DNA sequence: GTGGTCTAGACCACC
DNA sequence: GTGGTCTAGACCACC
């Protein structure tokens, strides 16, 4: 599958948004080990941002072992299955924590939160 | 309790942010029927926005029956208990829907989502 | 003690030279936990390089837990004693490996290498 | 064995780099008395440098008695075994001195330095 | 073409 | 003043 990127928005630093988009796509299985990302220049053109900003994002992904870069060729997803599973767990935890906080601020107990979740599951 | 407002941020229209803040505080019980909101002028000063923007927000709340304004006096929360319960349910649904979407995009089934939610409940 | 920096030379990337200078000074005890580094702007002036290059070096040191940066104040050495000991061991290993390689390429055995080392110890 | 040369790099004068490469190869036994070096013109082509630079290097080696050039023929290694042994000792001393300096700057005593060297010997 | 480094300089938040 | 982010653009090595 080909990686797809959305234009950065809001206040979060652009390079972090790119890092997170890659992590999300990995976790969702829309991006898999061995698959290439767009080149720095290419993605910068697509998102209408500076190549250095993409470089910063890719560098972080490399440092996390998610991305691997050979000389003069596109960077390639190098995350292990275990690493991807961990990213998925981490994102699921974040989403759950956010919902839990919201639900509890509304005065729901766990049973009620689960019930609403069930209603909205699909 | 005294209503508290946060400065508007991001791209959402400011008057909608005010409406939502009132709804959230009602749902969370931090604001109750009979309690006054700040005057239009006062809130505009506090949030450093135009009084007309506050007016627009209050107008919407009035139309929804949430707010009631007597002649030359502070607006007062006039929502019924049932209305507040409905706001609470609506916000809970929104949060649940968001969590459900995220969890399903990560490939979790309902049982797994509930399990993570339980882990993060507190 | 105050951190002292030498002007970058040679082909090694400037930001890595700064990282290594900090590591060396930590290992040699010329820089200790709690001590501040120069501000990005200041060090850039001193070394006649761009502040962004210093920023890049400091960012790496932060990611390694060696440096800690609070809002609007100088970055401060935050390495643990164990971390410093590990840096020292690492640098000692590097230097030993380099000497061993050179000595063996010259046909010296371990006894001879140790003997020369003893002669040159001081 | 055939002498092999690496392209000059860095800031050290190119002719000195050539002299040192010959000395290192002699000390390491990769080059022996009686063996020929490439012609000035040939080596200049290989390293993509000026023939005069090679000439300067060879001149120095001749003055040190390491190289001998007969009329219109390739230069030949003429170093005595004792001279080669002295070059080897000299290079070993340099390497040992460098390691000793580094180890002592890291606070190691002689016993510790020897221990690390033993660990890294191979 | 690819990635990597660096400079120059703007603008932001925080104090 | 402090650090953090981002752009624009140059120049490098590698292929």
């Amino acid at each position: 599958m080909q990686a797809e990127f959305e234009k950065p928005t809001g206040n979060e630093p652009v390079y972090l948004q790119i890092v997170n988009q890659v992590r999300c796509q990995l976790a969702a299985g829309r991006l898999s080990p061995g698959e290439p990302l767009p080149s720095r220049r290419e993605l910068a053109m697509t998102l209408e941002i500076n190549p250095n900003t993409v470089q910063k994002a890719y560098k972080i992904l490399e440092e996390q072992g998610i991305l691997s870069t050979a000389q003069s060729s596109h960077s390639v997803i190098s995350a292990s299955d275990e690493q991807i599973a961990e990213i998925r767990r981490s994102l699921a935890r974040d989403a759950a924590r956010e919902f839990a906080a919201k639900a509890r601020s509304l005065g729901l107990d766990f049973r009620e939160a689960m019930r609403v979740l069930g209603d909205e599951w699909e």
Side-chain angles (χ1 to χ4, degrees), chain A:
Chain A
M1 213 173 301
Q2 188 61 15
E4 289 191 12
F5 288 89
E6 295 173 1
K7 294 216 175 176
T9 57
N11 300 311
E12 194 188 12
V14 176
Y15 73 94
L16 284 183
Q17 296 189 44
I18 296 174
V19 167
N20 285 332
Q21 285 192 39
V22 171
R23 287 168 56 89
C24 283
Q25 297 195 38
L26 266 176
R30 292 199 304 279
L31 204 51
S32 303
E35 291 182 343
L37 291 189
S39 83
R40 275 88 170 148
R41 284 159 171 82
E42 191 185 337
L43 186 52
M45 291 266 294
T46 309
L47 302 183
E48 298 178 50
I49 59 176
N50 190 283
N52 284 332
T53 304
V54 182
Q55 165 66 4
K56 193 168 182 178
Y58 280 22
K59 190 78 178 292
I60 289 173
L61 290 166
E62 281 174 26
E63 281 160 3
Q64 298 179 347
I66 291 175
L67 205 59
S68 175
T69 302
Q71 271 291 25
S72 313
S73 85
H74 279 202
S75 295
V76 160
I77 297 295
S78 61
S80 66
D81 289 344
E82 172 47 40
Q83 218 172 350
I84 294 173
E86 176 52 33
I87 292 170
R88 180 178 297 120
R89 278 191 294 270
S90 168
L91 292 174
R93 273 196 299 267
D94 290 349
R97 195 172 300 134
E98 193 180 349
F99 174 46
K102 184 73 182 170
R104 301 180 76 245
S105 91
L106 293 173
L108 276 63
D109 63 23
F110 183 57
R111 261 192 68 250
E112 293 168 321
M114 259 186 12
R115 171 122 192 260
V116 180
L117 182 61
D119 291 346
E120 300 300 328
W121 187 254
E122 203 164 31

